[in-house]
Amino acid sequence: MSNGWFAGLDPDDDAAAVEQIEAGRADTPEDWPQQAVEAGFADDEAAYYDRLHEVTMAATSAAVAEQEGADDQQLVHAVRAMADCERTANELAERVAEWGGSRYGDSGSGVEYARSLADRDDEDEGDTALRTLAEQTAGLADEADSLRAYIERTAPAVAPNLSMLAGPVLAARLISLAGGLEALAKKPSGTVQVLGAEDALFAHLKGNAPSPKHGVIFTHEYVRGTRREDRGSAARALAGKLSIAARIDHYSGDRRPDLQAELDERIERIQARAEEGDE
Amino acid sequence: MTLPAGVERHDFGGETSLATQGQPVYGERTDGDWRRWDPHRSKLGAMLEQGMETGLEGDETVLYLGAAAGTTVSHVADFAGPTYAVEFAPRPVRELLDAAESRQNLFPLLKDARKPESYAHVVEPVDVVVQDVATRGQARVAALNKRFLTDDGRLLAAIKARSEDVTADPADVFDNVREELSAEYELLETARLDPYHEDHLGIVARPRED
Ligand SMILES: C[S@@+](CC[C@H](N)C(=O)[O-])C[C@H]1O[C@@H](n2cnc3c(N)ncnc32)[C@H](O)[C@@H]1O
């Protein structure tokens, strides 16, 4: 049996009630009004509903105030929206290319080709249909670009150290994958290293694949630009510094430029192994 | 089809429309206590306007998923009993709180409809789940929230095709959603909500016994 939000509460304790509405859990619903009356929490069901109205209003308005302040969540929305726009623009661009090839025989591809069609003059209705689709495709790609610009402006305010080391967009991606800055700050660096590689990680746990060495941090030049044999070390070093940066951003908000120098030095040493090996 | 008690066709200066009695919420036309329920602004309003057999009689206990600023759920609270309104976006919830101010039976909850454990300690078993979440995975949301429905309860869902897949043909999306939903629910009636809401499917369903 699970407990209702009122279990163990003093009926007049507003703060505790609000906390319970926000943080309580149960697997299945039960006849809470009846249970509350039986437990002596409320005199009758009408009194129970009056109290429920009061506390849900208070809890929900507190939760709204709390969440609206959390700018990391705005960043999460923006970076997910950017990914959606990019993906959809690319999908539509393929459709446009296929269609354009059939009408004009030229074989362009991608968003650039869609842009070139968007500027064409129409000769018939088919041209118009294809041109407006191409315009929408280009429009979505533009939207992705303006979301990227928004992220580049705001990520440094939300997570200055993380944005410095990872770049604003990768910083936003990591925050998004973790579900928020606080959640990211609480993850061990080994988890940060493979964030975004969940599929590969599950395959590994099922015994079908080697363990992934990096997730989305692969897009960082310090990982991508390191030769294959040393990429695991580079990813580990980078993830370690990113974790520290996320913790400082979440818990203190201080700026720590020395983190950048430390990271540069670690990576330099790792990349130097290639030269030593060559000799 | 009969309208639930508390919902009537009412005349607003020469135009007849669905209406409920309560404080206005979204600038809708009013006549005394009566407030116009605009089917263009409300998918449940459109389902009633289309004559779908929702089974609503009035006075039900309701769980409403995707309450947004409270446009529809305020009408629901006008004719229903205890009404739990779940919405996960903080911005519209500010307005939902205003709508709930004058409605003692409307309980706003800032919760994620994909995490029913986070509100099952507040929401009791209900006669009706209304769902209008317009997000990817609408069938899954319905399946996850089946636990709230009594054996003879009703799911009244509005499915937005573009939320599942912007590029696919809505008819295909609806087929998939119907199929996925059938694992947990017996579908009683489905109908497109055009012309009120383009590319939306209204669904009336009953939970299958586990
Ligand atoms: C089309 S609007 C609802 C309009 C509202 N039902 C009305 O008629 O007044 C969809 C709403 O569902 C909300 N939503 C989407 N996914 C949700 C989720 N997982 N949990 C709760 N709300 C969700 C969105 O934030 C949005 O406000």
Side-chain angles (χ1 to χ4, degrees), chain B residues 159-162 170-171 174 192-194 197-201:
Chain B
I159 304 297
K160 180 176 182 178
R162 297 177 66 85
F174 295 150
R192 298 281 283 248
L193 300 181
D194 306 279
H197 302 275
E198 256 180 54
D199 297 337
H200 280 73
L201 186 73

Side-chain angles (χ1 to χ4, degrees), chain A residues 3-6 20-33 45 48-50 52-54 56-61 63-65 67-68 74 77 84 87-88 91-92, chain B residues 61 82 84 88-94 96-98 100-111 115-125 136 147-149 165-167:
Chain A
N3 282 327
W5 61 274
F6 47 82
Q20 276 289 92
I21 297 278
E22 278 197 50
R25 312 186 80 67
D27 283 333
T28 48
E30 290 181 34
D31 191 342
W32 306 127
E45 296 204 350
Y48 170 79
Y49 285 125
D50 284 348
L52 181 63
H53 188 258
E54 254 171 35
T56 52
M57 294 290 288
T60 300
S61 92
V64 166
Q67 285 197 22
E68 283 203 325
Q74 297 298 304
H77 288 300
D84 289 345
R87 192 188 57 244
T88 311
E91 247 170 59
L92 286 176
Chain B
T61 304
Y84 299 87
F88 77 165
R91 270 154 223 256
V93 167
R94 285 200 182 284
L96 175 63
L97 286 164
D98 292 340
E101 195 75 58
S102 65
R103 292 177 171 83
Q104 281 297 315
N105 61 328
L106 180 53
F107 310 116
L109 295 166
L110 183 67
K111 302 280 183 184
K115 296 179 182 149
E117 332 72 66
S118 69
Y119 47 90
H121 66 306
V122 179
V123 179
E124 64 193 291
R136 193 177 288 224
R147 68 188 75 183
F148 291 99
L149 276 174
D165 188 339
V166 253
T167 51

Side-chain angles (χ1 to χ4, degrees), chain B residues 41 43 64 66-68 71-72 87-89 111-114 132-135:
Chain B
R41 306 268 312 256
K43 278 133 234 168
Y64 193 108
T71 303
T72 300
E87 167 59 54
F88 77 165
K111 302 280 183 184
D112 185 337
R114 289 164 301 190
D132 180 16
V133 289
T135 181

Side-chain angles (χ1 to χ4, degrees), chain A residues 169-180:
Chain A
V169 172
L170 177 56
R173 284 219 172 96
L174 288 166
I175 292 172
S176 160
L177 285 164

Side-chain angles (χ1 to χ4, degrees), chain B residues 22-30 32-33 35 74 98-99 102-103:
Chain B
Q23 292 281 323
V25 169
Y26 52 104
E28 67 278 23
R29 299 180 76 168
T30 55
D33 261 0
R35 45 193 294 259
S74 62
D98 292 340
S102 65
R103 292 177 171 83

Side-chain angles (χ1 to χ4, degrees), chain A residues 180-266:
Chain A
L181 181 57
E182 177 171 5
L184 182 63
K186 288 184 172 159
K187 293 207 183 300
S189 83
T191 305
V192 174
Q193 190 180 334
V194 295
L195 271 180
E198 282 70 18
D199 290 352
L201 193 60
F202 284 129
H204 167 63
L205 293 176
K206 282 212 249 145
N208 303 334
S211 90
K213 293 193 181 46
H214 38 65
V216 68
I217 64 168
F218 179 71
T219 58
H220 196 287
E221 52 159 334
Y222 278 175
V223 180
R224 225 176 356 147
T226 300
R227 68 169 179 168
R228 193 170 273 281
E229 311 79 299
D230 294 320
R231 262 185 209 154
S233 315
R236 203 168 329 111
L238 176 62
K241 289 290 180 230
L242 294 181
S243 293
I244 295 170
R247 281 172 211 156
I248 299 170
D249 287 336
H250 175 66
Y251 292 106
S252 82
D254 284 354
R255 277 153 218 257
R256 291 271 304 277
D258 46 314
L259 280 175
Q260 181 75 62
E262 291 168 23
L263 175 63
D264 294 350
E265 201 197 315
R266 288 285 321 266

